[in-house]
Amino acid sequence: MTTTSLAAEAAPSPRTESAGMPPVRSKSRIDPTYYWMVVPVLALFAFFITLPALVGVFFSLTNYAGYGDWKFIGLSNYVNIFKDPAVLQSYIFTFVFALTTTVVVNIVALAIALGLNAKIKWRTGIRTVFFIPMVLSALIVSFVFNYLFSNTLPVLAERFGLTPLATSVLANENLAWLAIVLVTVWQAAPGATIIYLAGLQSVPAEVYEAADLDGAGSFRQFLSLTLPLILGYLVINVILGFKGFLGTYEIIVGLTGGGPGMATQSVAMRIFSGFTGGDYAYQMANAVIYFLITLLISVIQLRLIQRRGVSL
Amino acid sequence: MTASTHPETMAGAAAPAQKAPARKPPAGKSRRSGREGYRINWWLTALMLVASLTVLLPLYFTVAMALKTPEQIGTGTGLAWPSPMNWENFAAAYVATNFPRAFMSTVFVTVFSVLGSLACSSLVAYAIARNWNHRFFRGSFVYLLSAMFIPFPVIILPLIKQTALLGLDNPAGVVFLHVLGGISFNALLYIAFVRSIPVELEESARMDGATTWQVFRKIIFPLLAPMNATVGIFAFLGSWNDFLLPQMMIADPALQTLPVVQMLFQGEFNTNYSLAFASYLMAMAPTLVVYILAQRWVLSGVMRGAVK
């Protein structure tokens, strides 16, 4: 399992082509400089990205604790993971969270994009404000919201007599995840808004003029014109968003640290715990399962894209 | 350092290509007829202003908190503006977090991540795009793209071991990972762009005896300016704000980056909020200032990256 074999396997050498391939220009001589531009990066890439992935898959078949001796134990880690309620809970949390966040982010982002695209005063200034969250560190933002949720909100709630909110939502097992959704939306909406803005600007003005002549109202125009015409951008947003939210880490660290109890522990956090918790191999098996699930989702989503004829 | 050099390169680089996002005719929905000109929708403006408070309020709150004394924080919601303002928090936070060191560490990671991303991704993309018919280069492209499908948690555990073994459990190791981790996406952006550059531009230089390196350095790289700006902005934001990699990889606490250092204030016994918020503000300020000064270029760059 060496670096060179990895690179060679993934990027087949020119010699292996022979039968059946149409004779493209591949036979003509290539300036060696081009190889110098690619091969070192490929080697580093294989060493720092691919090799750890393969090493991890290998150790997922052992009982390695992260230190000391280990032996090969086959698939028992995988079997155990399927029986582990804590892991199951983290998957349920992660998926419910990612689904909810994807829906909310897209609704919010589309609304902001429509607003920014319309004829409003001070458009540049308002736009500048709306994109600020994009440039801030998610962790620090979460720390700020942490205080708002656990100190400011309860005091305000008490003042207005809203007793259910008078204690910190972050300490509430059933509500803490909503706080995480909210901060994630705050942080992620600008990125999605940018994509929607690009979509809205690609719609020619003429179609709206035609719709106006036909007497369609604003809402009708949105449903029958805008939405279908920017569907491709919606698909991109859903894909990018959902995959990203499955890996949420920083915002949870900043808000709840996975708590209360384990109510808001995401799969990523579980996997990272393998480094301190002594169950390295076990969490590597978890990581492999997580990888297969995200891969499956990506493939399904790519299929959907291709059917829609959208180019990424 | 970053704050001063980066916006300039961004600005200079992006300026020629700056056109699309802001100046396009608005295709909003509330248009009566094209002839009436620019009829401002005041209702919507008001609505957007109110909505923008969701962004501004947390920021206001951060600033207000950073300027309070512990006594002022003890009462109320924290939303009141402090009077008198307590500027000493910044000095105290500066000392508590060893700000200069964390700042330099972050600057180191950011500068080299940006430079590395620009250099590696553009080189790889150029070689691949110009030899697209060759199996090796096409295969390399597919291979590099594969990283897009590997979620980070999958490689992190073995990676930490590996970097520790190599003595790369420091900011330099983080730079490596930023550059290599971003190559899939960055190369994708660059390749599309290189394809749009006609080969004829290079041929005359080659006639005059320029090598491939010289062609790249003197002709291609400058022409890539808009993409350089885009990739640079993404690399800058990504590495400046990154928490996961430094937290996991950097073993020596003295070399930690700014976002990770903020964990300091999360301890059970630490309830000095004014200090914490002053520190948060100091960590957020550089990107915030860069963004507000260069928002046109940042947004157009991100836009270019987003829709590719």
Side-chain angles (χ1 to χ4, degrees), chain B residues 7-295:
Chain B
E8 276 158 35
T9 52
M10 264 163 23
Q18 163 67 33
K19 51 173 191 326
R23 295 288 156 244
K24 278 239 178 137
K29 53 197 173 71
S30 57
R31 113 194 21 251
R32 283 290 100 97
S33 97
R35 230 144 295 159
E36 264 177 82
Y38 203 86
R39 278 244 320 247
I40 287 168
N41 187 337
W42 284 103
W43 269 108
L44 199 58
T45 307
L47 189 69
M48 292 300 279
L49 284 176
V50 172
S52 67
L53 288 181
T54 54
V55 174
L56 290 177
L57 263 179
L59 291 181
Y60 158 81
F61 173 75
T62 311
V63 177
M65 287 292 281
L67 291 170
K68 287 181 183 175
T69 59
E71 296 79 61
Q72 288 168 324
I73 284 176
T75 55
T77 56
L79 291 172
W81 186 253
S83 71
M85 289 186 268
N86 179 26
W87 293 96
E88 281 146 36
N89 292 328
F90 292 100
Y94 188 89
V95 176
T97 57
N98 202 343
F99 186 83
R101 212 145 57 167
F103 184 79
M104 283 322 290
S105 192
T106 315
V107 167
F108 172 88
V109 168
T110 305
V111 167
F112 285 100
S113 296
V114 169
L115 293 180
S117 297
L118 290 177
C120 289
S121 311
S122 60
L123 269 179
V124 166
Y126 172 61
I128 288 175
R130 284 292 182 254
N131 298 289
W132 189 246
N133 289 327
H134 195 289
R135 269 195 142 193
F136 172 78
F137 291 95
R138 233 177 353 194
S140 311
F141 177 62
V142 174
Y143 175 52
L144 290 176
L145 275 192
S146 72
M148 278 194 164
F149 296 97
I150 303 182
F152 208 71
V154 176
I155 61 168
I156 187 77
L157 298 184
L159 185 67
I160 296 168
K161 293 225 152 229
Q162 196 177 316
T163 46
L165 269 176
L166 292 165
L168 276 174
D169 48 354
N170 52 35
V174 175
V175 169
F176 264 100
L177 263 294
H178 279 161
V179 172
L180 294 169
I183 264 189
S184 306
F185 183 63
N186 296 338
L188 201 66
L189 292 180
Y190 272 124
I191 286 176
F193 202 88
V194 172
R195 284 210 184 120
S196 71
I197 300 175
V199 189
E200 286 75 29
L201 276 176
E202 301 168 34
E203 273 165 2
S204 60
R206 283 185 199 275
M207 298 273 201
D208 294 340
T211 65
T212 304
W213 283 115
Q214 286 166 328
V215 168
F216 175 79
R217 211 163 44 86
K218 300 238 171 75
I219 297 174
I220 298 298
F221 194 74
L223 284 172
L224 290 175
M227 265 310 143
N228 290 338
T230 302
V231 169
I233 290 164
F234 274 112
F236 170 71
L237 291 177
S239 46
W240 186 273
N241 289 329
D242 189 24
F243 166 68
L244 176 59
L245 267 179
Q247 186 218 11
M248 297 261 172
M249 277 178 62
I250 298 178
D252 182 355
L255 296 175
Q256 266 308 351
T257 58
L258 278 175
V260 186
V261 166
Q262 307 310 318
M263 294 288 280
L264 186 72
F265 302 104
Q266 294 301 301
E268 228 173 296
F269 308 104
N270 198 324
T271 46
N272 196 340
Y273 287 113
S274 48
L275 196 66
F277 278 84
S279 178
Y280 301 158
L281 197 56
M282 281 159 72
M284 293 200 292
T287 43
L288 206 52
V289 170
V290 169
Y291 168 67
I292 289 172
L293 291 181
Q295 54 97 6

Side-chain angles (χ1 to χ4, degrees), chain A residues 12 31 80 110 130 156 176 187 198 208-210 212 245 303:
Chain A
D31 186 342
N80 289 333
L110 188 52
F130 270 111
L156 280 179
Q187 171 87 28
Y208 292 107
E209 278 161 23
D212 266 339
F245 302 141
R303 276 276 161 78

Side-chain angles (χ1 to χ4, degrees), chain A residues 206-227:
Chain A
E206 288 78 25
V207 297
Y208 292 107
E209 278 161 23
D212 266 339
L213 289 179
D214 291 344
S218 299
F219 188 66
R220 182 68 214 220
Q221 289 186 12
F222 172 73
L223 269 189
S224 312
L225 284 177
T226 313
L227 213 49

Side-chain angles (χ1 to χ4, degrees), chain A residues 65-112:
Chain A
Y67 45 83
D69 291 335
W70 53 270
K71 65 174 197 287
F72 204 69
I73 56 163
L75 291 174
S76 30
N77 280 331
Y78 291 89
V79 175
N80 289 333
I81 278 185
F82 281 105
K83 291 190 272 190
D84 187 339
V87 171
L88 186 69
Q89 196 201 358
S90 67
Y91 273 96
I92 292 173
F93 165 73
T94 307
F95 271 87
V96 171
F97 162 78
L99 271 176
T100 318
T101 313
T102 308
V103 172
V104 180
V105 162
N106 278 285
I107 293 171
V108 170
L110 188 52
I112 298 176

Side-chain angles (χ1 to χ4, degrees), chain A residues 18-54:
Chain A
S18 50
M21 286 298 291
V24 269
R25 280 194 345 173
S26 53
K27 284 280 152 41
S28 65
R29 242 185 63 77
I30 285 179
D31 186 342
T33 316
Y34 287 121
Y35 287 103
W36 281 110
M37 289 173 170
V38 176
V39 172
V41 174
L42 278 186
L44 284 174
F45 187 85
F47 187 70
F48 281 106
I49 309 282
T50 313
L51 181 64
L54 295 178

